[in-house]
Each structure stands twice: as C-alpha cells, then as structure tokens.
C-alpha cells in the first residue's frame, strides 16, 4: 500500500524488484518489520516531494532552517506531509471571492451618477470601459506578484517602487477604509431612520444624526473593540445575500411599474424623491459624467487585495489569473450596469445617492432590502475598522523609522503604532467618522471624492507603475497611458463632485 501511494505521488515511480513487498509474509514478526520499514521509507521519500509542492504553491516554504543549535521550524507536523491536500482556490471559487470582495454599498450610488446628466448610451459605455480598465489593472497587480515573488501589496510596492515610500500604500488603504466607514455610517443613518419612521417614531431633522450617534455608541464601538472577530465571519455571506437581494428587488420594481402608474407607493413619496425624466436622454454627455466615473471608481476598487487572490489561486499563473479576473469583472460590470439602469429607469433624474431612500417607507420589498443592507453593514463594520487601524499602524511604523522626520514626529508615530494606543485610537476614529457622517447627509459627496482620488491612485496609477518596474524595459508603452488618465479623472472628478 505504501509503494502504491508513492507511485501515485511520484508520477508512476515503482521500487526495484528486490524492494517490493511480498504478497505473503512468513510470520507476524516479518509483517511488523515490513510495516516499520515501509513507514520509514514512506516518510523519507514523501517529505521532499511534499516540501517541493509547498514551495510551488505558497509564499513561504513549509520547512526552514533555524539558527545554529536550534531545531528546524515547521509549520505543520512531519507526518502531515504524507497526506497532501489540494492547495489554493479554483478559478470558479476565485471569481466568486473577487466578486464578493469588490461589490459593496457603492452599487447604491450608480443610478445617481447617471442622473447627474448622462444619457443611456454613454452611461453604459462608461460602465463597460471602466470595468475593463479596472479588471486589467487588477490583473497587472497579480502579474507583478509573479514577476517579483511578493505576496502582498505593500511588499510588492517595496520590491518595485522602494521600501521607503511603502507607507503610501498604508496611507491609501487607511483613507479607503475611512471613507468606507463614513459611507457605512451614513447608510446606517438613512436605513434605520426610515425604519423608525415606519415604526411610528416622529420624523424630525435630527433623527438621522441621533441614529448614527446611538448606533456608534451602543453597537459599533463595542464590536470594533473586539480583538477576536472570528465570530463575525458570517457577515461576508450576509453582505453577498444583501447585494443580490437589493439588485433583484430594484429590477422587480423597475419592471412591475409600481412607481410609474398612480399607486399608494407613488403617492407616499416626497416630490424630490418621486420619478422625474425631464433630463432623460439617449446620448447626453457632458462634464457631469465625471460623477458617474467617480462613483464607479469606488465601486470597482479592491486592487490592494489582488495579491491575496493571486497567491491563493490553485496552480497559479498570470494566464489563469487573467481568466479569473476577466470573468469576475465581467460579472461586476453586468451587475453594476443593471443596478444603474434599473434604478434610473424607476426614478430618473431624482435617483438619490443612496437609492434605498427613493423607495416608499411602506414598500415591503424595500423594507427587506433596508433590513438586509443594515444588518450586513452593522456586523461588517468592525472589519472595516480593523483594516483602518491596521493601515494606520503600518503607516505609523514605517514613518517612525524615517530618519528625515523630526524626532518628535517619530516618537508620535511610534506611540500611535503601540498596542497601548489601540482603544483610544479606535474610539477617536469612531468619533470622527460619526461626526463626518452626521455633517454630510449626502453620501454621494464622500463616494464621489473618495472614488475620484483613491480610484485614480489605486486603480489607474499605481498598478501601471508597479508593473512597469517589475517587468522593466519590455513593458508595453500603452500601460503607462493609464497614469495620466487616472490623474485627469481624479482631479476633474473631485471638482465636479464638489461643485454639484
């Protein structure tokens, strides 16, 4: 049995005739001796084979040499090498993981981006074009990991653009998580204030702010202070279900005519939320299209996680990763185009930055959508806070060792990165996030600015720079053309968003 196992593992290898196990043994003593010999041979021959497989499919080898006089360091028991298991995710699973990671609350803002003044044909073309560009730059990150042998975004930056500037990566991720937390707080205020009004709570101008402050103090702060978030791992599934349900009910309401013909739902809407198609056009295109571009910049962003997806891909290669990314971003493009189109087809020029605000408080489909969205954000919020704090700690650690900074600044960064600062830092960040979410009632402003600036940097500018350094002189010049495009979209997108 041992030789049969090795033959399968080593590609048809068979032992010499003199070493093959006899079909019948003369005594139990000989049987025990043969078992011991087979076990030793099995361990000795299978270990190098499994170690080679581990080196191919992981960022770090499974067996490393310790310091002189110390025992070797192993990541798993020795005998575990005799029972190899599949390593990594299939292409299908990678597609599902990428879609689940990228798609988020940004889909609620796309109809408003189109309502800013974009015709049907240009809006769909923009969505498809940015989906293709975002997928291509996502692939460039994975291909750069293959060229450099790195396994995370910060390490990739250090290997290509230099370790001294790697704090820029943590800074961008920190801003990304901060803007996401502000958007989440704003959506929570919108969703739960609508549900409270439906439950009979008197409407007031301060209800949204009271909801944000109350949820932050009573729920978000205790959850964000948890050190072990493994109990919240289910939120990924809830978020996926919430997004799929929201897309489905938006499509249903666009097709069933509940908000077009005179109805109780339509009559209950405020005039600024009721459908209006005065500016609807098939081909209209002007500078306001940059609002949609900025919203899509945030909706497609997740490029800092591309190294993790590439490293986890089974039998990874750039070609295989390209196939997974093409399918994933194709699915995302279809999903975003559908959400944008169905939302605009229902409410037209009055589509809100948070599309859920357009639907009547008594709409049963919208009630379930608000509950699902609120629950997914409520329990997924601590994960965004972990990312925010981790990025700030990483940036502070890098800057604390920067000799060009004053000594006082380096001490401040070291203090910020210390474990003792964990609780005060989280509480202070939550206070800032709640204050900004209360002050900015339109989440479209935060989405537009963060999508324009961070989308330009992380989606359009950083990947070509990294890939160009990783590949060297053989890099196609067209890759570098994305850098000025990102700068153009970032600056003008921010200006148009703030002007609006």
């Amino acid at each position: 049995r041992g030789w049969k196992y090795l033959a399968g593992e080593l590609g048809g290898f068979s032992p010499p005739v003199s070493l093959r196990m006899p079909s019948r043994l003369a005594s139990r003593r000989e049987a025990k001796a043969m078992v011991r010999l087979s076990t030793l041979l099995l361990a000795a021959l299978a270990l190098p084979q499994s170690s080679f497989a581990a080196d191919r499919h992981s960022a770090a080898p499974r067996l490393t040499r310790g310091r002189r006089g110390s025992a070797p360091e192993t990541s798993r028991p020795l005998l575990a090498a005799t029972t190899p298991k599949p390593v990594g995710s299939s292409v299908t699973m990678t597609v599902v993981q990428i879609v689940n990671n990228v798609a988020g609350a940004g889909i609620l803002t796309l109809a408003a981006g189109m309502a800013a003044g974009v015709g049907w044909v240009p809006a769909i073309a923009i969505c498809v074009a940015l989906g293709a560009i975002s997928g291509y730059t996502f692939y460039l990150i994975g291909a750069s990991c293959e060229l450099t042998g790195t396994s995370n975004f910060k390490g990739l930056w250090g290997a290509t653009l230099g370790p001294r500037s790697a704090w820029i990566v943590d800074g961008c991720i920190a801003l990304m998580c901060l803007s996401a937390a502000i958007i989440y707080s704003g959506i929570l205020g919108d969703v739960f204030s609508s549900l409270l009004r439906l439950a009979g709570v008197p409407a007031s101008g301060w209800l949204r702010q009271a909801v944000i402050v109350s949820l932050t103090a009573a729920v978000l702060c205790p959850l964000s202070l948890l050190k072990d978030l493994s109990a919240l791992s289910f939120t990924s599934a809830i978020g996926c279900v919430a997004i799929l349900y929201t897309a489905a009910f938006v499509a249903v309401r666009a097709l069933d005519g509940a908000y077009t013909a005179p109805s109780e739902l339509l009559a209950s809407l405020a005039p600024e939320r009721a459908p209006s198609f005065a500016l609807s056009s098939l081909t209209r295109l002007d500078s306001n299209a940059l609002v949609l571009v900025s919203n899509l910049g945030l909706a497609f962003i997740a490029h800092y996680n591309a190294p993790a997806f590439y490293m986890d891909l089974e039998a990874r290669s750039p070609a295989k990763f390209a196939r997974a990314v093409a399918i994933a971003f194709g699915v995302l493009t279809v999903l975003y185009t559908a959400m944008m189109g169905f939302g605009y087809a229902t409410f037209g020029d009055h589509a809100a930055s948070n599309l859920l605000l357009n639907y009547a408080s008594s709409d049963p489909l919208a009630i379930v959508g608000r509950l699902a969205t609120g629950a997914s954000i409520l329990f997924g919020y601590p994960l965004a806070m972990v990312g925010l704090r981790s990025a700030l700690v990483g940036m502070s650690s890098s800057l604390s060792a920067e000799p060009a900074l004053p000594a006082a600044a380096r001490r401040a960064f070291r203090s910020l990165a210390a474990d003792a600062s964990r609780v005060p830092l989280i509480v202070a960040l939550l206070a800032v996030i709640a204050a900004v979410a209360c002050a900015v009632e339109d989440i479209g402003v935060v989405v537009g600015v963060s999508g324009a600036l961070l989308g330009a940097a992380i989606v359009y500018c950083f990947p070509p720079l990294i890939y160009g350094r990783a590949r060297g002189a053989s890099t196609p010049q067209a890759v570098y053309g994305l850098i000025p495009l990102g700068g153009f979209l970032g600056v003008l997108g921010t200006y148009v968003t703030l002007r609006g």
Side-chain angles (χ1 to χ4, degrees), residues 183-195 197 208 211-212 353-354 356-357 370 441-443:
I183 294 167
Y184 290 162
S185 293
I187 293 176
L188 288 175
D190 294 337
V191 166
F192 284 101
S193 60
S194 176
L195 293 173
R197 285 194 296 269
R208 180 179 181 273
V211 168
I212 292 174
S353 297
N354 179 359
L356 294 176
L357 292 177
R370 294 184 181 108
E441 296 192 5
D442 185 1
I443 66 169

Side-chain angles (χ1 to χ4, degrees), residues 141-294:
I141 297 296
S144 300
C145 289
E146 178 71 20
L147 292 170
T148 59
T150 52
S151 58
N152 59 72
F153 198 71
K154 189 173 182 178
L156 179 61
W157 181 287
T160 54
L161 300 177
R164 290 192 62 179
S165 61
W167 62 269
I168 296 175
V169 174
D170 288 320
C172 288
I173 294 176
L175 289 175
M176 188 71 242
C177 293
L178 179 64
S179 61
I182 294 172
I183 294 167
Y184 290 162
S185 293
I187 293 176
L188 288 175
D190 294 337
V191 166
F192 284 101
S193 60
S194 176
L195 293 173
L196 287 175
R197 285 194 296 269
L198 181 64
V201 175
S204 71
W206 296 98
L207 181 59
R208 180 179 181 273
Q209 288 78 357
V211 168
I212 292 174
V213 173
S214 300
L215 287 176
T216 301
V219 181
L220 299 180
C221 185
L223 289 176
S224 299
L225 290 175
L226 291 174
K227 290 187 176 181
D228 183 9
L229 298 180
S230 59
L232 299 178
S233 59
F234 67 92
T235 57
S236 178
I238 292 180
C240 184
V241 171
I243 290 172
L244 293 177
Y245 174 81
T246 302
F249 104 76
V250 168
V252 168
R253 283 294 182 245
L255 297 174
D256 67 2
Y259 289 91
T260 54
S263 64
E264 184 178 340
L265 294 178
L266 183 60
S268 64
L269 296 180
E272 65 273 12
R273 302 296 187 199
S276 173
F277 298 93
L279 301 178
S280 180
S281 169
L282 189 64
T283 58
R284 180 183 176 184
L285 180 65
D286 54 29
S287 61
N288 290 322
L290 290 170
V291 176
L292 177 60
V293 171
S294 300

Side-chain angles (χ1 to χ4, degrees), residues 342-440:
F342 285 129
Y344 185 80
T346 306
F347 299 104
D349 308 327
H350 286 173
S353 297
N354 179 359
L355 188 62
L356 294 176
L357 292 177
N358 280 105
Y359 296 92
S361 299
S362 58
D363 187 337
L365 296 183
I367 292 173
V368 177
R370 294 184 181 108
L371 286 172
T373 301
S376 66
I377 291 177
L378 202 62
F379 293 108
Y381 195 99
L383 302 178
M385 291 301 300
V386 167
L388 174 56
R389 179 182 174 272
S390 298
L392 286 176
V393 168
M395 183 179 68
S396 300
S397 298
S398 299
L399 292 176
S400 66
E402 178 56 54
L405 293 177
R410 294 200 301 270
R411 285 195 300 271
F413 282 123
R414 278 195 297 270
S415 176
L416 188 64
D419 290 338
S421 301
R422 176 180 176 273
V423 173
L425 178 60
I426 291 176
V427 173
L429 288 172
L430 286 172
V432 171
I433 290 167
V436 175
C438 289
V440 182

